[in-house]
DNA sequence: CCATCATTCTATCGTTTTATTGAATGATGA
DNA sequence: TCATCATTCAATAAAACGATAGAATGATGG
């Protein structure tokens, strides 16, 4: 009977590994693809030593694995389902926590003045793609695009948006996506492109969710 | 950009609420149905004060809600998806954590000497029920059975197993279930019934998972 | 084999969590 | 209204966590 509680304690240990904002940021970056410590530290805005320690913590919980490559240590998620786990955690938090709602609306406050920027759901996107009515735009950095992206997506990193407008079609609606639901890149891309007269909306999810759902990636 | 991290911090707060074995035990009990503090404290083997404090913690994280009923405070899960969240957490932990495997095999060590006790999957169970080839046995306490159970399940609490054998059919295989994958009740029931000559296996999940999957309950 | 670079380990300190105890609150029924 | 019961609140001490800085490790290129 006591080992029943041992199991729950072990489970709790895994949950506790998720219980820190910095570690969640590291996992979100890892959901885009494997990366060495330095990259992870930079995107999560941590010192190297600090990032290393958090990564050890995630490793002890079995959420990430590490592999040496030359003098670098490459980390990756142990399991695609971790993305689903994060998604479900987010769903539960969003529906049941008023605080969450407040933060989300603040993060995306400026956007939706006239309601036209409503996000495109996965089903809607799939339907639009099947009918050839939409073009996909990936606004993540080139490195993350190279590591994997949605089929037929055009990559224009946000930093080069205006320079690379030539790659965008004019005959179709554009759907922009980035790292996930909380990633602000596609929000900003949509705003800037709309000011330039493009017909564009954002995808409500991101690359990791698409991949975790078993949909094809390139 | 900083509010991106605020969101992750809030998410981390919810994860941290799951990061304690006692709180997971409370949630597992709540997955069976709502209950007052005293019941919860008893099943989680906590003092009342301690249980109350953990429940407050879960409430702040938006995972449970409380409602006064007379002089008792009734707690319940805010959201069925929390059961899915726990299930996914368990899956991830089981596949990626050697420690987990060790604990599970220890918990169920005696059982499977000859391999016949292999658990019945959800699909297999549904097929068997559809063909009328299996009878369902719910070995949880009567209180939990009353709060909800699988359709057509016979309730024989483990404590009264031998006294109530008369309720069991002899012409079909019996599938026993209880609170969930780690619950030992159905394991023990299967062992004891097999010694009495019954053809019986256990369901690999439990009532909460069945309900959370949207399958019919009574 | 030495200098260098990426990463991890160790030690420390301040902060947060947890369990425990006892007092306070809120509803009930005599 | 008072005594009682269920629960929560408040205060404390022990344990776990998180950030930081500097030493140690392990691979590489000369």
């Amino acid at each position: 009977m006591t080992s029943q509680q041992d199991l729950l304690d072990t489970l709790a240990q895994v949950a506790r590994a998720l219980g820190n904002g910095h570690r969640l940021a590291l996992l979100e970056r890892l959901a885009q693809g494997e990366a060495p410590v330095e990259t992870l530290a930079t995107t999560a805005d941590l010192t190297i030593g600090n990032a290393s320690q958090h990564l050890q913590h995630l490793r002890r919980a079995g959420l990430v694995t590490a592999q040496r490559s030359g003098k670098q240590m490459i980390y990756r998620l142990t399991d695609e389902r971790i993305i689903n786990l994060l998604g479900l955690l987010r769903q539960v938090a969003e529906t049941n926590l008023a605080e969450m709602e407040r933060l989300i609306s603040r993060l995306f406050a400026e956007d939706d003045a006239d309601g036209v920027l409503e996000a495109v759901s996965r089903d809607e996107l799939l339907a639009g793609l099947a009918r050839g009515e939409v073009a996909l735009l990936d606004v993540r950095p080139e490195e993350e695009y190279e590591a994997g992206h949605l089929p037929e997506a055009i990559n224009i990193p946000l930093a080069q948006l205006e320079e690379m407008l030539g790659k965008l079609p004019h005959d179709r609606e554009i759907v922009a996506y980035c790292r996930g639901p909380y990633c602000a890149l596609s929000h900003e891309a949509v705003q800037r492109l709309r000011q330039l007269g493009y017909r564009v909306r954002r995808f409500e999810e991101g690359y990791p969710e698409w991949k975790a759902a078993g949909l094809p990636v390139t």
Side-chain angles (χ1 to χ4, degrees), chain A residues 22-52 55 69 71-76 141-145 147 179:
Chain A
H22 293 309
R23 283 195 291 271
L24 289 180
L26 290 169
L27 288 175
E28 289 231 321
R29 175 58 186 79
L30 285 170
Q32 311 299 320
E34 58 181 39
V37 179
E38 195 191 347
T39 306
L40 294 168
T42 308
T43 42
D45 199 24
L46 292 168
T47 64
I48 300 270
N50 210 337
S52 170
L55 288 166
S69 163
K71 50 170 109 175
Q72 291 193 119
M73 208 62 164
I74 308 291
Y75 279 83
R76 58 174 63 94
E142 189 182 343
E143 180 201 342
E144 292 174 35
Y145 175 84
R179 293 168 176 155

Side-chain angles (χ1 to χ4, degrees), chain A residues 87-101 104 182:
Chain A
L88 198 48
L89 181 64
R90 175 155 51 214
Q91 278 182 39
V92 168
E94 280 179 11
T95 20
N96 300 322
L97 220 53
E99 175 69 5
M100 207 67 189
E101 217 169 317
I104 292 171
Y182 296 159

Side-chain angles (χ1 to χ4, degrees), chain A residues 151-207:
Chain A
E152 321 237 1
I154 302 159
N155 179 225
I156 306 186
L158 194 57
Q160 292 131 55
L161 187 63
E162 278 77 7
E163 314 158 26
M164 297 174 68
L165 286 175
K167 295 173 73 175
L168 287 176
H170 285 274
D171 58 335
R172 283 174 285 173
E173 178 176 25
I174 295 162
V175 173
Y177 73 89
C178 50
R179 293 168 176 155
Y182 296 159
C183 173
L185 296 178
S186 66
H187 276 271
E188 190 169 339
V190 165
Q191 280 193 290
R192 279 156 60 179
L193 285 173
R194 286 189 66 83
Q195 291 193 339
L196 294 167
Y198 284 87
R199 191 156 57 92
V200 52
R201 289 187 293 165
R202 60 180 291 275
F203 177 36
E204 69 176 359
E205 301 181 308
Y207 168 72

Side-chain angles (χ1 to χ4, degrees), chain A residues 38-155:
Chain A
E38 195 191 347
T39 306
L40 294 168
T42 308
T43 42
D45 199 24
L46 292 168
T47 64
I48 300 270
N50 210 337
S52 170
Q53 219 163 296
H54 281 301
L55 288 166
Q56 308 291 319
H57 199 145
L58 291 170
R59 189 151 68 152
R60 275 191 300 269
L63 296 173
V64 307
T65 54
Q67 188 190 350
R68 188 158 220 121
S69 163
K71 50 170 109 175
Q72 291 193 119
M73 208 62 164
I74 308 291
Y75 279 83
R76 58 174 63 94
L77 296 183
T78 46
D79 197 323
E80 287 283 310
R81 279 175 302 180
I82 293 168
I83 297 167
N84 297 327
L85 185 60
L86 291 175
L88 198 48
L89 181 64
R90 175 155 51 214
Q91 278 182 39
V92 168
E94 280 179 11
T95 20
N96 300 322
L97 220 53
E99 175 69 5
M100 207 67 189
E101 217 169 317
R102 199 179 62 75
L103 289 170
I104 292 171
S105 70
R106 197 180 65 187
L107 180 60
F108 300 142
E110 317 81 48
D111 279 20
D112 209 7
D114 42 3
V116 284
L117 294 185
E118 210 161 86
V120 180
S121 72
R122 191 192 300 169
D123 288 344
E124 197 181 347
L125 176 57
L126 284 166
L129 287 171
R131 286 197 298 270
E133 290 173 0
V134 304
L136 268 174
L137 170 62
D138 186 325
V139 293
R140 295 176 300 161
E142 189 182 343
E143 180 201 342
E144 292 174 35
Y145 175 84
E146 291 298 344
H149 54 84
L150 271 59
E152 321 237 1
I154 302 159
N155 179 225

